């Protein structure tokens, strides 16, 4: 039999005109649809020879057949079938050319052949792959930008990943933008597998996702790599068909593989088939799930399945604080391990502390912090060398420590005999053995005039107190000098708080979905020494600012669960899951929790009561000692926020932004008054001297900073914010005796508080 090379997206219909006419006449006469069939061969190409592959699964998205000993298959097509695809067998490389679109006018289609290659290594070894999502292509320039930020660095990696998986939203809703995204994926020297997201659509198409199937892969498909089977599902489209198809596929080969699901988000199947898919994955003990959609990184336990959410790949390039994509290692036993990578960095080296123009002080030990990072390479060592300016003699050498991220830390004590100026040289060595260097001239001076943080002035919650003013009475006299540095690569969206001579901070869990993880840490105020770490299981994180009165500490986890711990010992005092929203129980008896990536508002504490709430999703007032809730309301939906948006409180009212701005009775939760100030934004309100201040640049029109009477809700003044783009994030205001301050788009604003 003659070997045929695969040709993507183009096949000739092998029907003569006479045969076609006969078929049409038969259909008209008997009103019976002719059987539609497709056939072809699958071959293994080892670079020297092509050999037929037996027992390979071929599918039209509804049914399956297997190839015979000659590599030949013949499949009866469903009328709804849009493509023929195959699942590459174990021991072979997955290929993007795993399918072929079918012509709409067909009866029998022959010669749909596929070719695969063997794995480049022995079976049973760990392998790595790239996972990113939410590229949101909107312009052609993003091709070069994404290549420079991510693709070329993937190619630089010494241990080259096996393939790329994208979890959808490669475009912003048009065919042309999807074509630009396709051009970017063509830059990879690796197979790329993409699923449809909620923005991957073209309004001119007959059905959402048609363009995806032309440019990428079928709306649902599967491939294998060694002992893993990857199932790929679209956003909403063909929900029932895709789950039915997956069930049949797993009946065929599921027991032989570790199952990994790729989808834009769990919500994509919604009530239609989500419960069925979850139960199917649990039945086959799925190894994990990949997703995007929420533009935030987190490893979490979703209904017993380890799930890896990744941020928007293109949105945070060149930002060490926000990873942009994952390198996931898959082990032979089914364990998946995520390494979050920051995009666009090549031999990046920077001295953070001492800061620019900050001196070293003689006879005082001061922290040193260095950022050393490369997107493609691991940094193995960072050394700080202090050198005499005059003769280049070495005065001190310090090896810094690292916790797995980009930050390296240590300390230096300037000796009494050091000159008034030294060179601080930084030397970083990467895994390829290359050494990077930077130098900075630093002054050395006596310790007089140093300003260290002072204890005794607690800052026990977001914005300092229940009024959320962001103001403190203690004078601060710059320049400030760091007293200590504590490294944790998972510090992220939450701010630290200070209470009872301790510093508390929430931690994002980007490491484990199954094992307990320290999501709250307590540090000694004077030394920075870790006193305790409070562990939480299930992949939950603290992504907002904590609240503490010095004796107790409360947190609302990202899925809504509330915990209270002893601030001195770290022991958990009570917990409450009332705010955890599950998938509607009428569609699944146990309920399905799939919104753990949501962020929550920062709690507050006042007079033995804790208050929890965020915009529309507001919960309660609880007694700190007992955990008994005085009132609470379950949120109608999960709420996510990139800021620490929260409530403010006066003596008599709770203030919160929602569809309107509202004042609530803190005793009952009832609404006292509400004022229409446009949609609720992501910045929090501030209360001071019987006035409530709220900045709301969320959507057109009505971008403004508002001042309202706290008793009545009457608007006292509104100041519009000019020359800003839509949907810009804004800081919560800070208010002192004279001014209202806020930051936005790289600018700092100050408004007169009175007018």
């Amino acid at each position: 039999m003659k070997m045929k090379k695969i040709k993507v997206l183009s096949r000739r219909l092998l029907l003569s005109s006479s045969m076609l006419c006969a078929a049409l006449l038969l259909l008209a006469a008997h009103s019976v649809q002719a059987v539609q069939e497709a056939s072809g061969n699958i071959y293994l190409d080892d670079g020297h020879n092509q050999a037929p592959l037996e027992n390979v699964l071929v599918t039209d998205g509804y049914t399956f057949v297997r190839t015979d000993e000659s590599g030949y298959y013949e499949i009866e097509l469903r009328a709804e079938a849009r493509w023929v695809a195959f699942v590459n067998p174990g021991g072979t490389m997955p290929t993007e050319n795993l399918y072929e679109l079918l012509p709409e006018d067909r009866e029998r289609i022959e010669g749909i052949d596929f070719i695969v290659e063997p794995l480049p290594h022995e079976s049973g070894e760990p392998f790595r792959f790239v996972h990113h999502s939410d590229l949101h292509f909107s312009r052609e320039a993003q091709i070069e930008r994404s290549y420079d930020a991510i693709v070329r660095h993937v190619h630089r990696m010494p241990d080259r990943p096996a393939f790329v998986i994208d979890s959808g939203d490669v475009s912003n809703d048009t065919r042309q933008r999807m074509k630009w995204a396709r051009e970017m994926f063509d830059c990879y020297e690796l197979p790329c597998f993409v699923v449809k997201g909620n923005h991957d659509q073209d309004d001119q198409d007959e059905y959402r996702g048609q363009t995806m199937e032309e440019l990428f892969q079928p709306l649902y498909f599967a491939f294998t790599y060694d002992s893993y089977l990857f199932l790929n599902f679209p956003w909403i489209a063909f929900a029932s068909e895709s789950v039915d198809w997956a069930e049949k596929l797993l009946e065929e080969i599921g027991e032989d593989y570790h199952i990994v699901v790729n989808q834009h988000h769990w919500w994509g199947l919604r009530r239609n088939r989500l419960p069925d898919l979850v139960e199917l994955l649990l039945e086959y003990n799925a190894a994990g799930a990949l997703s995007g959609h929420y533009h935030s990184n987190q490893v979490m336990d979703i209904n017993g399945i380890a799930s890896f959410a990744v941020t928007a790949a293109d949105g945070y390039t060149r930002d060490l604080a926000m990873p942009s994509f994952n390198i996931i290692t898959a082990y032979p036993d089914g364990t998946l391990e995520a390494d979050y990578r920051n995009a666009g960095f090549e031999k990046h080296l920077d001295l953070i502390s001492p800061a620019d123009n900050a001196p070293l002080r003689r006879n005082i030990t001061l922290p040193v912090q260095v950022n050393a990072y490369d997107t493609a390479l691991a940094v193995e060592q960072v050394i700080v060398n202090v050198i005499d300016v005059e003769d280049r003699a070495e005065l001190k050498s310090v090896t810094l420590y690292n916790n797995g991220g980009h930050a390296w830390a240590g300390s230096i004590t300037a000796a009494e005999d050091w000159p008034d100026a030294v060179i601080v040289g930084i030397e970083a060595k990467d895994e390829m053995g290359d050494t990077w260097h930077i130098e900075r001239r630093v002054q050395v001076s006596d310790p007089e005039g140093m300003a260290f943080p002072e204890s005794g002035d607690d800052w026990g919650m977001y914005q300092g107190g229940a009024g959320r003013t962001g103001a403190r009475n203690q004078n601060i006299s710059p320049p400030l000098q760091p007293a200590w540095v504590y490294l944790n690569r998972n510090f992220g969206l939450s701010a630290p708080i200070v209470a009872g001579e301790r510093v508390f901070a929430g931690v994002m869990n980007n490491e484990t979905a199954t094992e307990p993880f320290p999501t709250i840490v307590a540090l000694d105020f004077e030394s920075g020494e870790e006193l305790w770490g409070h562990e939480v299981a299930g992949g939950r994180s603290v992504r907002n600012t904590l609240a503490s009165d010095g004796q107790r500490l409360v947190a609302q986890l990202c899925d809504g669960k509330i915990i209270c711990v002893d601030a001195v010992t770290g022991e958990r005092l009570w917990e409450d899951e009332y705010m955890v929203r599950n998938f509607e129980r009428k569609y699944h008896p146990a309920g399905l929790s799939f919104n753990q990536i949501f962020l929550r508002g920062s709690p507050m504490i006042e007079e033995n009561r804790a208050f929890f709430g965020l915009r529309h999703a507001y919960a309660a007032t609880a007694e700190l000692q007992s955990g008994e809730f005085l009132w609470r309301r379950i949120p109608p939906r999960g709420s996510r926020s990139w800021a620490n948006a929260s409530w403010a409180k006066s003596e008599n009212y709770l203030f919160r932004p929602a569809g309107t701005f509202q004042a609530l009775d803190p005793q009952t939760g009832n609404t006292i008054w509400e004022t229409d100030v446009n949609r609720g934004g992501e910045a929090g309100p501030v209360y001071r001297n019987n006035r409530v201040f709220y900045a709301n640049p969320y959507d057109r029109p009505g971008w403004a900073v508002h001042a309202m009477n706290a008793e009545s809700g009457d608007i006292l003044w509104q100041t519009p914010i000019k020359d800003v783009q839509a949907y810009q994030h804004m800081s919560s205001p800070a208010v002192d005796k004279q001014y209202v301050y806020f930051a936005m788009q790289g600018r700092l604003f100050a408004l007169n508080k009175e007018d």
Side-chain angles (χ1 to χ4, degrees):
M1 183 177 293
K2 183 179 180 181
M3 304 296 181
K4 297 182 179 180
K5 297 285 186 181
I6 182 170
K7 297 180 180 179
V8 182
L9 304 181
S10 63
R11 292 290 176 194
R12 298 182 62 184
L13 189 62
L14 303 179
L15 293 173
S16 67
S17 59
S18 59
M19 292 174 62
L20 181 59
C21 291
L24 292 173
L25 288 173
L26 182 63
L27 178 62
H30 301 285
S31 298
V32 177
Q33 186 174 3
V35 175
Q36 298 176 339
E37 292 182 338
S39 62
N41 292 271
I42 299 180
Y43 304 104
L44 178 67
D45 189 336
D46 64 2
H48 304 286
N49 300 294
Q50 288 184 350
L53 272 177
E54 183 181 2
N55 210 30
V56 179
L57 280 173
V58 180
T59 180
D60 66 348
Y62 299 90
T63 60
F64 291 88
V65 298
R66 291 182 180 269
T67 57
D68 61 20
E69 66 275 3
S70 66
Y72 178 77
Y73 70 89
E74 188 172 277
I75 186 169
E76 185 175 317
L77 300 172
R78 286 275 294 268
E80 306 93 328
R82 305 180 306 283
W83 37 263
V84 170
F86 76 103
V87 182
N88 65 299
T92 66
M93 279 289 294
T95 172
E96 289 186 54
N97 301 327
L98 54 81
Y99 75 112
E100 182 156 333
L101 290 177
L102 298 171
E104 292 185 10
D105 185 18
R106 80 263 184 168
E107 215 176 84
R108 179 172 179 80
I109 308 163
E110 298 176 337
I112 301 181
D113 300 342
F114 300 103
I115 296 175
V116 294
E117 299 176 357
L119 283 176
H121 57 75
E122 293 295 324
S123 179
E125 297 180 2
F127 65 91
R128 306 194 309 165
F129 61 90
V130 176
H131 175 217
H132 52 54
S133 185
D134 296 89
L135 289 160
H136 285 285
F137 263 76
S138 59
R139 57 192 184 279
E140 190 174 12
Q142 285 179 257
I143 300 173
E144 182 177 355
R145 178 184 175 186
S146 296
Y147 176 84
D148 189 62
I150 300 176
V151 178
R152 75 179 185 91
H153 297 285
V154 170
H155 296 161
R156 290 176 54 232
M157 293 178 181
D159 182 11
R160 180 73 65 90
F163 52 85
V164 177
I165 281 186
D166 186 277
S167 290
D169 273 7
V170 298
S171 71
N172 273 346
D173 301 312
T174 70
R175 179 184 294 269
Q176 179 57 62
R177 290 167 176 174
M178 277 187 254
K179 289 181 178 179
W180 289 332
R182 178 68 261 185
E183 288 185 48
M184 190 281 289
F185 280 96
D186 288 340
C187 296
Y188 273 115
E189 299 169 4
L190 303 168
C192 299
F193 303 99
V194 180
V195 294
K196 177 184 176 295
N198 56 291
H199 282 285
D200 296 320
Q201 61 179 338
D202 185 346
D203 293 335
Q204 297 177 357
D205 286 339
E206 181 180 353
Y207 56 87
R208 297 172 78 177
Q210 179 175 330
T211 305
M212 291 292 293
E213 295 197 326
E214 293 175 359
L215 297 176
F216 294 95
Q217 280 90 30
L219 289 186
Y220 52 95
F221 63 97
F223 65 90
T224 75
Y225 195 96
D226 205 343
S227 61
Y228 282 80
L229 172 66
F230 293 82
L231 301 177
N232 301 268
F233 295 91
W235 176 273
I236 297 179
F238 297 96
S240 290
E241 292 89 339
S242 62
V243 175
D244 289 341
W245 170 85
E247 184 174 9
K248 294 175 183 177
L249 174 60
L250 291 177
E251 288 175 357
E252 291 279 352
I253 62 173
E255 298 292 343
D256 299 330
Y257 292 93
H258 303 300
I259 312 301
V260 177
V261 171
N262 179 34
Q263 56 193 349
H264 190 51
H265 187 259
W266 292 91
W267 196 45
L269 291 177
R270 292 189 178 179
R271 65 189 60 174
N272 297 324
R273 297 303 300 275
L274 176 61
D276 298 328
L277 175 61
V278 170
E279 290 183 358
L280 185 64
L281 297 177
L282 293 176
E283 178 184 350
Y284 285 90
N285 195 27
L290 312 173
S291 66
H293 188 54
Y294 284 135
H295 299 205
S296 185
N297 297 290
Q298 191 174 3
V299 179
M300 47 199 161
D301 181 349
I302 301 292
N303 306 299
I305 300 167
S307 302
F308 300 82
V310 69
T311 191
D314 189 57
Y316 298 112
T317 55
R318 293 296 296 177
D319 185 352
L320 280 172
M322 292 295 291
S324 302
F325 66 100
N326 264 345
I327 298 294
I328 294 184
T329 302
Y331 293 93
D333 64 356
T335 300
L336 300 177
E337 185 177 87
D339 179 11
Y340 289 86
R341 295 295 179 97
N342 307 89
F345 288 89
E346 186 169 354
K347 295 186 176 180
H348 171 79
L349 194 58
D350 190 18
L351 178 61
I352 304 302
S353 177
D356 289 340
N357 301 319
L360 290 171
R361 304 287 185 168
R362 292 184 177 91
N363 299 320
I364 291 182
T365 300
L366 298 175
V368 175
Q369 184 175 339
V370 170
N371 284 348
Y373 192 77
D374 191 292
T375 300
L377 304 174
V379 179
E380 296 187 336
Q381 186 181 61
V382 176
I383 297 175
V384 174
N385 297 305
V386 182
I387 303 167
D388 192 307
V389 172
E390 298 297 330
D391 58 10
R392 302 288 297 185
E394 182 180 291
L395 301 173
K396 184 74 174 179
S397 180
V398 177
T399 300
L400 305 186
Y401 68 92
N402 170 260
N403 73 335
H406 58 266
W408 297 71
S411 61
I412 287 180
T413 305
E416 183 70 38
D417 59 351
W418 282 13
D420 291 340
V422 296
I423 298 294
V424 176
I426 311 298
E427 177 184 290
K429 182 177 291 186
D430 63 37
E431 62 180 307
M432 300 301 291
D434 291 339
T435 302
W436 328 336
H437 297 274
I438 61 169
E439 290 186 349
R440 180 192 296 169
R441 186 186 178 102
V442 177
Q443 295 299 119
V444 180
S445 62
D446 294 330
E448 287 78 11
M450 290 185 65
F452 284 108
E454 297 181 18
S455 61
D457 187 11
D458 285 356
W459 192 270
M461 63 195 76
Y462 176 60
Q463 294 280 85
R468 311 294 199 188
T469 64
R472 61 187 284 152
N473 296 323
Q474 183 182 7
N475 290 329
I476 299 176
S477 302
L480 296 177
Q481 186 75 34
W484 48 262
V485 172
Y486 177 86
L487 291 184
N488 188 316
R489 71 179 301 191
N490 297 308
F491 286 147
L493 299 175
S494 66
I497 61 172
V498 179
E501 301 292 322
R502 289 174 171 83
V503 178
F504 304 98
V507 178
M508 294 192 298
N509 177 7
N510 288 332
E511 296 188 12
T512 174
T514 56
E515 299 299 321
F517 184 83
T519 57
I520 302 172
V521 294
L523 311 175
D524 180 79
F525 181 89
E526 296 292 342
S527 66
E529 176 187 358
E530 182 175 328
L531 302 175
W532 52 259
H534 184 82
E535 294 185 338
V536 176
R540 293 178 167 102
S541 289
V542 175
R543 292 179 174 236
N544 48 50
T545 302
L546 307 163
S548 176
D549 62 358
Q551 298 300 314
R552 291 149 298 193
L553 182 145
V554 291
Q556 187 171 25
L557 307 179
C558 55
D559 69 336
K561 183 176 182 177
I562 295 168
I563 61 174
C564 177
V565 302
D566 187 301
V568 178
T569 66
E571 176 186 0
R572 187 172 302 189
L573 301 176
W574 53 265
E575 61 185 58
D576 187 274
E577 295 198 3
Y578 190 85
M579 285 291 288
V580 178
R581 174 188 178 259
N582 289 330
F583 196 69
E584 296 106 87
R585 294 184 183 277
K586 67 179 180 179
Y587 299 109
H588 192 274
L592 295 172
S593 177
F594 59 92
N595 66 336
Q596 289 182 311
I597 197 64
F598 287 129
L599 314 183
R600 300 291 170 168
S602 299
M604 71 172 74
I605 291 176
E606 190 178 58
E607 296 179 352
N608 195 39
R609 290 185 180 179
F611 300 86
F612 304 90
L614 170 62
R615 290 167 56 187
H616 299 278
Y618 57 101
T621 301
E623 289 191 355
L624 267 181
Q625 189 65 32
S626 65
E628 178 183 355
F629 281 78
L630 305 178
W631 58 266
R632 57 185 177 181
R633 304 177 187 180
I634 193 167
R637 55 180 293 182
S639 296
R640 57 188 168 124
S641 168
W642 308 120
N644 285 278
S646 190
W647 301 349
K649 185 181 182 300
S650 69
E651 183 179 351
N652 299 316
Y653 302 109
L654 290 169
F655 304 102
R656 77 178 187 114
T660 58
F661 193 92
Q662 300 175 352
L664 309 180
D665 185 335
Q667 303 299 322
T668 65
N670 296 330
T671 302
I672 304 300
W673 57 257
E674 57 184 331
T675 300
D676 187 3
V677 290
N678 200 24
R679 293 175 59 184
E682 294 184 345
V686 172
Y687 169 79
R688 183 163 183 148
N689 296 342
N690 203 38
R691 291 189 177 192
V692 184
F693 303 91
Y694 180 60
N696 181 26
Y698 192 84
D699 197 2
R700 293 187 176 97
W703 295 346
V705 179
H706 311 271
M708 292 166 279
N709 183 292
E711 295 292 329
S712 64
D714 294 339
I715 296 177
L716 303 176
W717 53 258
Q718 293 175 309
T719 298
I721 307 167
K722 300 178 180 180
D723 303 323
V724 294
Q725 301 175 6
Y727 299 104
Q728 292 299 309
H729 296 302
M730 183 179 198
S731 71
S732 295
V735 181
D736 63 12
K737 295 178 180 179
Q738 291 181 288
Y739 302 115
V740 179
Y741 308 88
F742 63 91
M744 184 178 185
Q745 287 187 296
R747 292 180 290 174
L748 183 65
F749 296 81
L751 307 181
N752 185 292
K753 193 177 71 171
E754 296 302 317
D755 60 13

